[in-house]
Amino acid sequence: MLITHDTRCALDTVVDLVNSAPEDDSAPDRLPDLPALEAFVRSHEVSEVGVLTEFDLSAVRRIRGRFASVFAAPDAHSAAKLINELIAAAGTTPRLTNHDGYDWHVHYFAPGASVTDHLAADCGMALAFFVVAGEQERLRRCEAPDCRHAFVDLSRNRSRRYCDSRTCGNRLHVAAYRARRKEAAG
């Protein structure tokens, strides 16, 4: 599956957006206020975004939950329904653009769109490409019992199980190794 630069950026953005939500009642929200949303927009180079407001923060938090549902969808039909709703609500308007040193690519949000519509359109289309390609199962949640972060499995053989092999994967492998050693010494 060919993933263009702008699609990859949108995938990274949607994964980080979904993972900004608190995993449980004790975890902090990583989009707690307007400065955090502004930093998110800046760090992901979300273009053509005007002045952000508290309304934008509230709306982005709402679509964050809807994107999380896409990663939890049990099948392509369920994912497609959720993605279609996100894209339709954003008033998707595909257009070619080149800006900020990037060659021609497609933006799916209308000129002057809110940050929420921008994220829903561009990130929704990036996820839609995976459903169209029959690759919806690549939209996953980390299998570490104490994590559950979203990620996109871009491995060749679709075998990635953890959001980060250096943290979640390594921690579980070390725990399994120690359990085996303890049992063998037992």
Side-chain angles (χ1 to χ4, degrees):
M1 176 175 179
L2 174 67
I3 300 174
T4 61
H5 172 76
D6 52 317
T7 299
R8 180 60 193 253
C9 290
L11 290 171
D12 291 344
T13 300
V14 73
V15 164
D16 288 348
L17 180 62
V18 168
N19 291 338
S20 73
E23 292 178 37
D24 57 40
D25 293 336
S26 66
D29 189 325
R30 292 193 350 239
L31 279 180
D33 52 27
L34 205 48
L37 177 60
E38 290 166 346
F40 180 89
V41 165
R42 205 171 32 258
S43 70
H44 288 86
E45 299 179 355
V46 179
S47 61
E48 300 180 39
V49 173
V51 176
L52 299 172
T53 66
E54 290 293 329
F55 177 81
D56 292 314
L57 177 62
S58 177
V60 167
R61 285 180 177 161
R62 278 193 305 277
I63 66 156
R64 174 177 69 182
R66 297 182 71 198
F67 277 125
S69 297
V70 174
F71 281 85
D75 55 50
H77 289 285
S78 302
K81 181 179 185 299
L82 295 164
I83 293 167
N84 283 340
E85 290 169 359
L86 280 160
I87 292 169
T92 306
T93 307
R95 62 192 166 96
L96 286 168
T97 184
N98 64 344
H99 60 87
D100 300 328
Y102 295 109
D103 203 0
W104 291 105
H105 59 281
V106 179
H107 279 186
Y108 296 96
F109 58 93
S114 69
V115 67
T116 305
D117 287 346
H118 179 129
L119 293 171
D122 276 1
C123 296
M125 288 303 299
L127 296 174
F129 295 143
F130 277 79
V131 174
V132 168
E135 301 284 353
Q136 181 261 333
E137 74 276 359
R138 289 182 181 267
L139 308 176
R140 297 191 175 160
R141 290 290 191 159
C142 184
E143 291 183 18
D146 59 339
C147 181
R148 307 301 299 151
H149 275 134
F151 68 95
V152 178
D153 179 4
L154 297 176
S155 67
R156 232 182 214 141
N157 62 356
R158 298 175 191 89
S159 62
R160 189 169 156 198
R161 297 174 51 206
Y162 307 109
C163 65
D164 187 343
S165 61
R166 290 174 305 208
T167 55
C168 291
N170 190 46
R171 188 176 64 247
L172 288 174
H173 288 114
V174 168
Y177 171 77
R178 288 181 179 158
R180 286 190 306 272
R181 296 251 342 224
K182 184 178 179 180
E183 186 177 307

